Amino acid sequence: YFKGAAGVSVLPEIENRGSGNENTMEFDPGFSFTGGLGIDLDNGFRGEAEIQYTLNSLSQAKGTGNGRTLGATTFTAGDLSTLAFMGNVAYDFQNVGQFTPYVSAGAGLAGVFINEVKADGLIIADSSEWVFAMQFGGGVSMPIDDITTLEAGYRYFETQDPEFGDQRGVPFSTQLSSHNFMVGARLNF
């Protein structure tokens, strides 16, 4: 089957740590898109290869950035995005009426991109790194016909701590996780 989904991505406050970059950042709710190819193993299990993209805009930063004190500011710009290539395993439970509950888990590689993040006119970083990623979640699906199955679900996504460089070239690390609420469809072929 082919699959695709879209939804809302929510990032908890992230903490950055490094010389002159001890700060916390808050992001607005953003969006998430996924697409992939899967196989139903006819025993309740499904295997999937998936691409996922998320984007969240910076709403507030406080602490230090590029060696300067930021304070709690809402004069921010830039965003944080991820592009992940994941291998997933899903398990479909027995139907509950028209709905089929499922759980899923996956692992893969994610590119994490801090895109021209600024606070009070100060560019903090424009950097990226590829790191290990994992996710797990669940939801419900509902077949519409022999080809189309609708899905609604939740995913928790987390990466290994990426390391970025600020505008001075000084490295700092961050902790990244997100909550994703998705709706989509599977198309059997």
Side-chain angles (χ1 to χ4, degrees):
Y1 58 86
F2 292 111
K3 66 176 286 184
V8 176
S9 173
V10 178
L11 287 178
E13 180 179 84
I14 66 171
E15 293 183 17
N16 298 312
R17 297 179 187 259
S19 178
N21 290 291
E22 300 287 337
N23 60 62
T24 58
M25 294 182 180
E26 295 178 16
F27 291 84
D28 293 326
F31 60 84
S32 177
F33 295 107
T34 65
L37 184 63
I39 185 168
D40 191 333
L41 302 175
D42 294 325
N43 60 2
F45 286 95
R46 293 181 280 121
E48 301 173 344
E50 178 184 72
I51 298 174
Q52 177 181 343
Y53 178 76
T54 64
L55 179 72
N56 295 81
S57 296
L58 181 65
S59 64
Q60 188 176 64
K62 57 186 173 183
T64 61
N66 277 338
R68 291 177 44 194
T69 300
L70 302 174
T73 178
T74 54
F75 300 105
T76 59
D79 57 66
L80 188 144
S81 61
T82 61
L83 178 64
F85 299 90
M86 306 295 288
N88 301 324
V89 174
Y91 180 76
D92 295 313
F93 295 96
Q94 289 188 349
N95 292 8
V96 178
Q98 294 181 341
F99 299 100
T100 303
Y102 69 88
V103 292
S104 65
L109 185 66
V112 183
F113 307 90
I114 288 185
N115 303 303
E116 296 189 11
V117 168
K118 297 179 185 178
D120 290 333
L122 172 69
I123 296 177
I124 299 171
D126 187 17
S127 186
S128 65
E129 186 175 29
W130 289 87
V131 291
F132 172 79
M134 64 177 189
Q135 64 184 2
F136 62 87
V140 293
S141 63
M142 182 179 76
I144 299 300
D145 53 37
D146 290 341
I147 297 174
T148 308
T149 302
L150 300 180
E151 287 186 344
Y154 162 80
R155 290 185 182 183
Y156 174 79
F157 178 84
E158 185 173 328
T159 70
Q160 174 186 2
D161 293 352
E163 186 173 282
F164 301 111
D166 68 11
Q167 288 303 101
R168 303 169 300 167
V170 175
F172 66 93
S173 64
T174 191
Q175 297 176 332
L176 177 66
S177 63
S178 66
H179 302 280
N180 300 283
F181 303 90
M182 312 288 292
V183 292
R186 297 194 311 260
L187 302 174
N188 297 316
F189 62 90

